Amino acid sequence: MATFDWALPATRNDWLQCNGLSFYCPMTSRMRNWGDLRENLQQHIRLLTDEAWPQEVREARQSLLRPSLAAGWSLTEHAALTRTSYFSGEGSTACHSLQCAQCPIGEVALRTAVLLTSSKEILEALKTPDMPKATRNLVLYSLWDTVGKVDSMLFLEDEITWYDLLESGWPIFGILASLGTLLTGSKFDVRDDFSELRRDLAQLLRPQSSAEEVQSYLGPDQSSYQRWLVYAQQRRSQCFPPTVLGTLLVADGARSMAMPLPMEDFLRIVQSDMRGCRGPMDNLVELLQWPWPLFEAVDWLQTPAMVHVRIQPSQLQQRFRWQPETTGKLVVPRYRRPGTYGFVGDNIRSTGRPHCSLVFQNAFDTLVEFLPQKTAIQVVDVGSMLGDCCLWTLKRLGDMSGAWRSPRCRAYESDELWARLALTSAELNALSHAMTVHHVMVSARGQSSLDALLSDLGDDPWVLKIHTDGSELDLLQGAPRLLSAGRLQFALLRMESQLQLQDGRYRPPPSAWRAWMRSSGLHHHYELRFCHHEALLVAKRQWATRALLSRNLNFTR
């Protein structure tokens, strides 16, 4: 294994996150950037072993994790062949300490992630305290050594604290939580004398209903918070698990209630307490088998609901000219319960950007480039989820030095939780005057059709985005008045005709869209384009929309 970036990062933050560094991965014959691998783990690792999801979903996540898993195996094999503790950035240089490691947290996270795809036999073998004497298999030895590296980083190293691990962005605690589940099963079904605390943990970390999920975003009630404080202050013995878990619950509760209590202090207490718990154990695997969701609770602190995101020009606009970027606040889901699509939160945290269609961003920026300034443009987003595209468009237009008059965005979302999160995001960004969120199921006919809901749209130019579970064409067919009024600039509709929906149906193929255009007579007024998994309906005979028919709206950098 070799690398073209041998030098260690210049700052401590860069050393923890490994920004700007890469190494050669022989398993894929590619240079791998540490930052890209961190983002890949953040997005997909938590669903890999979550048995609440169907097997095919978890298998799909494993395929998406291929860059990280291949890199993890390469680092594991390198450590086995060279008998070194860490990868130094140069294959011939032995490295046995953190000081010479190119990316210590990243390496430990990647090598530990490999264990999630290992056989049961390997997981059982890792429980052996004297593994070096028990095997001549270098790879197995290296996997056992990986567990030792995690153990050392958590409990022996003073240079890296648990707070550093959380701030680095590497999901090491989420990986350990998944590994513990593989070894012993769920930690939430244990029966003992702490039923009230265990119930609180289960409702917070693994809610089973939408009501529990909504309640968790509101923060703990006073009685729950006081109960956690009592646990956090107890010191019955050198290792009292309810004290540790109570401290973590208090830390998260204080953050959700915006209390000025530093997370670093809480984690310092937890790290100290856990050293007392780990001391009498033979190895880290014994702690992973602990009947308490320790690592799940610490990982929970790494997935906050409020995320700072970068609002950048579209990928296509960045190609043509430099424009400034701004920032925003987005409230995202913390849960991965089936049906909630909470993994979108993992995606937003990892990228630091809104989860808004890149094709939509390219199309919108292209339209804005050619519209006359001071135009009062409106955006309608059906199936808005978190209101990401509303936040992006309003922040983009607001950052253009007042060139646009009173831009507005209407978000329509059928899921109550998503609608609440979008509404909170609008309030946090002081956009309530421009962004309206409606909790409604838009239909093809009646009072909840687009024609009915948008009857007060006025004469301003507007754009439409529809991302639903397969009803895009039906909803558009239910808006003949809007489509014939001539003010719609473009409509972007999700069209993944090969992806099976939850009810077993498939979205209509491109031929169905073309047939509808001809039968409705709309082909005289609109041009139909297909961009990646999107269908784009573009108004004809308008100077501002001509570029939408010629530019590469699939462009990404």
Side-chain angles (χ1 to χ4, degrees):
M1 177 182 283
T3 180
F4 302 129
D5 299 291
W6 178 78
L8 294 179
T11 67
R12 175 176 173 77
N13 185 62
D14 287 340
W15 182 56
L16 295 174
Q17 297 188 353
C18 315
N19 294 325
L21 293 178
S22 57
F23 65 94
Y24 179 71
C25 175
M27 291 194 70
T28 56
S29 300
R30 293 183 63 180
M31 293 296 295
R32 289 298 181 188
N33 180 276
W34 289 101
D36 292 341
L37 295 174
R38 183 182 68 245
E39 185 176 309
N40 183 248
L41 282 179
Q42 285 178 314
Q43 288 188 46
H44 307 299
I45 196 66
R46 293 183 177 95
L47 248 64
L48 181 62
T49 59
D50 192 343
E51 293 186 354
W53 286 83
Q55 181 66 30
E56 58 268 21
V57 173
R58 286 180 279 145
E59 290 176 353
R61 289 288 155 172
Q62 183 166 339
S63 67
L64 293 172
L65 280 164
R66 185 173 182 271
S68 294
L69 295 176
W73 276 115
S74 294
L75 291 166
T76 298
E77 292 177 353
H78 174 265
L81 293 172
T82 60
R83 295 286 180 153
T84 61
S85 298
Y86 294 101
F87 177 61
S88 66
E90 184 174 343
S92 60
T93 303
C95 176
H96 299 284
S97 66
L98 291 176
Q99 287 74 18
C100 60
Q102 188 188 42
C103 184
I105 301 178
E107 179 176 352
V108 167
L110 290 168
R111 289 172 61 179
T112 309
V114 165
L115 293 171
L116 301 183
T117 61
S118 300
S119 65
K120 292 183 179 179
E121 291 74 18
I122 289 180
L123 294 178
E124 286 296 319
L126 295 178
K127 300 176 183 178
T128 307
D130 56 346
M131 173 60 69
K133 301 176 183 178
T135 182
R136 294 183 179 179
N137 186 315
L138 290 180
V139 173
L140 183 56
Y141 168 82
S142 186
L143 291 174
W144 180 90
D145 181 65
T146 296
V147 176
K149 294 297 171 289
V150 178
D151 200 3
S152 176
M153 186 170 286
L154 292 179
F155 300 109
L156 297 179
E157 299 288 354
D158 293 325
E159 293 188 46
I160 296 179
T161 67
W162 285 24
Y163 182 74
D164 289 333
L165 295 175
L166 289 188
E167 288 296 294
S168 73
W170 291 97
I172 183 66
F173 291 106
I175 295 171
L176 292 174
S178 296
L179 187 56
T181 301
L182 285 179
L183 290 169
T184 62
S186 174
K187 315 277 188 182
F188 298 98
D189 301 326
V190 179
R191 307 292 180 183
D192 56 20
D193 296 334
F194 302 99
S195 58
E196 202 168 37
L197 176 62
R198 288 191 178 277
R199 184 197 63 209
D200 290 343
L201 288 165
Q203 289 181 349
L204 183 67
L205 304 179
R206 293 293 184 273
Q208 298 301 308
S209 68
S210 178
E212 288 183 356
E213 205 166 328
V214 169
Q215 178 60 39
S216 68
Y217 285 93
L218 304 178
D221 55 41
Q222 194 62 30
S223 62
S224 297
Y225 192 73
Q226 290 300 320
R227 184 166 61 249
W228 300 345
L229 276 175
V230 170
Y231 280 118
Q233 294 167 358
Q234 290 179 350
R235 290 293 187 276
R236 297 186 185 179
S237 62
Q238 187 179 11
C239 176
F240 187 51
T243 296
V244 177
L245 273 301
T247 303
L248 293 171
L249 288 174
V250 167
D252 185 69
R255 179 170 60 185
S256 65
M257 294 186 292
M259 298 174 65
L261 300 176
M263 185 70 64
E264 188 172 3
D265 291 347
F266 286 111
L267 285 171
R268 188 181 297 112
I269 295 171
V270 169
Q271 187 173 6
S272 176
D273 287 346
M274 286 309 304
R275 282 176 174 167
C277 295
R278 169 65 184 88
M281 298 180 180
D282 289 332
N283 55 27
L284 181 66
V285 175
E286 191 172 334
L287 181 60
L288 291 171
Q289 295 175 287
W290 219 32
W292 289 92
L294 166 69
F295 295 115
E296 287 86 346
V298 182
D299 181 55
W300 186 246
L301 299 180
Q302 200 175 27
T303 56
M306 199 277 286
V307 180
H308 291 274
V309 293
R310 300 166 61 190
I311 309 296
Q312 300 173 298
S314 65
Q315 302 277 308
L316 191 58
Q317 196 70 17
Q318 293 178 44
R319 178 187 180 188
F320 291 127
R321 62 178 58 84
W322 180 88
Q323 288 185 350
E325 64 178 58
T326 185
T327 60
K329 299 175 183 177
L330 198 59
V331 182
V332 305
R334 307 177 73 183
Y335 305 93
R336 291 163 294 279
R337 183 169 57 85
T340 66
Y341 297 98
F343 53 82
V344 172
D346 289 334
N347 179 283
I348 294 171
R349 291 186 199 93
S350 66
T351 62
R353 295 187 296 271
H355 188 69
C356 178
S357 162
L358 294 180
V359 175
F360 175 83
Q361 294 182 31
N362 286 337
F364 187 81
D365 265 357
T366 299
L367 174 68
V368 167
E369 181 182 349
F370 291 94
L371 278 176
Q373 291 194 359
K374 302 301 181 182
T375 300
I377 190 170
Q378 297 195 54
V379 178
V380 177
D381 190 355
V382 179
S384 61
M385 295 184 75
L386 297 172
D388 307 54
C389 287
C390 277
L391 176 65
W392 182 84
T393 53
L394 293 174
K395 283 283 187 176
R396 282 284 293 131
L397 294 177
D399 198 47
M400 293 182 181
S401 305
W404 304 97
R405 179 169 56 85
S406 303
R408 306 185 69 84
C409 186
R410 304 187 188 192
Y412 295 90
E413 176 54 50
S414 61
D415 185 271
E416 179 188 5
L417 175 61
W418 294 96
R420 286 194 180 199
L421 296 182
L423 187 61
T424 305
S425 293
E427 294 169 353
L428 285 175
N429 291 278
L431 291 174
S432 298
H433 64 287
M435 176 178 169
T436 56
V437 180
H438 306 270
H439 174 218
V440 61
M441 172 73 79
V442 180
S443 62
R445 299 174 182 81
Q447 295 302 309
S448 58
S449 68
L450 287 175
D451 267 354
L453 293 173
L454 303 178
S455 58
D456 60 341
L457 200 58
D459 295 329
D460 296 322
W462 64 291
V463 301
L464 173 67
K465 181 178 80 69
I466 305 180
H467 276 195
T468 63
D469 289 331
S471 58
E472 289 83 359
L473 182 55
D474 293 336
L475 298 184
L476 209 56
Q477 289 173 336
R481 182 186 63 80
L482 289 170
L483 293 176
S484 60
R487 305 304 297 171
L488 176 65
Q489 305 298 297
F490 73 82
L492 186 76
L493 309 109
R494 191 177 181 186
M495 192 211 69
E496 292 178 275
S497 56
Q498 303 301 315
L499 178 66
Q500 188 174 20
L501 303 172
Q502 289 184 343
D503 59 4
R505 296 181 300 114
Y506 291 87
R507 286 186 174 84
S511 58
W513 287 86
R514 295 189 181 96
W516 167 68
M517 291 280 290
R518 289 191 298 270
S519 64
S520 62
L522 289 174
H523 64 289
H524 297 296
H525 307 286
Y526 296 95
E527 186 81 25
L528 187 62
R529 284 192 65 184
F530 296 102
C531 305
H532 195 44
H533 297 305
E534 315 270 10
L536 189 69
L537 203 66
V538 181
K540 290 182 176 180
R541 306 188 190 92
Q542 295 195 28
W543 182 79
T545 61
R546 287 183 299 176
L548 293 174
L549 299 174
S550 58
R551 286 188 178 176
N552 177 17
L553 301 180
N554 289 323
F555 178 80
T556 59
R557 300 181 69 179

